Amino acid sequence: MAKIIALANQKGGVGKTTTAINLAASLAVLEKKVLIIDADAQANATSGLGFDLREIETSIYECMVNDADPAKALLKCDIDNLYILPSHIDLVGAEIEMLNMTDREKVLSKVISKVKDQFDYVLIDCCPSLGLITVNALTAADSVLIPVQCEYFALEGLGKLLNTIKIIQKRLNPELEIEGFLLTMYDSRQNLSNQVMEEVQHHFQDMVFKTLITRNVRLSEAPSHGKAVVMYDASSKGAQNYLNLAQELLDKHSRENAG
């Protein structure tokens, strides 16, 4: 039974797509079967894994709006065990087209239910907003992973996201949990990075992942080559960070299942 994790933060540029791609790739390297759902119209997860957006015939948009079969839309990545349900710029219009649908918050949930049994993990890369597509992702998910960048305005807007999560727990998905807060773009030489880390750990305590994602050139370069960092440079700090995060997540879930 797949564990479905949404990666969400309405603030852009926090390392959400980077985390979706590289956590998924690392889980696949650790022999889990993983599906990334690119639920962002910018389609950065799709292009970041080497797919040409102009050549995609069926995307998440067709699955959500036209009831296309998601099993036929899945693309196999160049890492064993890793697949993606790609996105497309058309997804921008999906929110308006979905307004008249019955159960419009549960459309993505229905799409995922058709393919989730084939996977151990389904990671949903959400768009940087709290619109209907993100609400769909949080309604479909078992948990939400929140990337927080170690920058000055890091905690700004988190209140709004946590409030949205509360509303969804109350009205649409009572099972939704917070998987954890992930500190990204950490630079140990900067006082600010350390201050933000302390502040996030103080606020959220054991909900913060122990793994830190440090600033890393290889991590920034990898998407332009259409690769996850573990394929681009497996010895880089970025690759090690995400492999550590994947292992931390697997350990956490095996403890939960044992408990």
Side-chain angles (χ1 to χ4, degrees), residues 5-8 19 23 143-147 179-182 209 245 249:
I5 304 174
L7 288 93
T19 296
L23 174 56
S143 63
V144 53
L145 189 157
I146 303 167
E179 190 66 55
F181 294 84
L182 175 69
F209 285 102
L245 176 65
L249 198 68

Side-chain angles (χ1 to χ4, degrees), residues 27 31 34 36 50 61 66-67 76 102 114 142 145 155 175 177 186 192 196 217 230 238 249 254 257:
L27 286 165
E31 301 187 342
V34 188
I36 299 178
Y61 169 80
N66 302 331
D67 210 19
K76 189 179 183 324
T102 49
K114 295 174 186 171
D142 298 310
L145 189 157
L155 294 176
E175 308 295 308
E177 294 177 348
Y186 175 74
L192 181 60
V196 171
V217 174
V230 73
L249 198 68
S254 69
N257 293 337

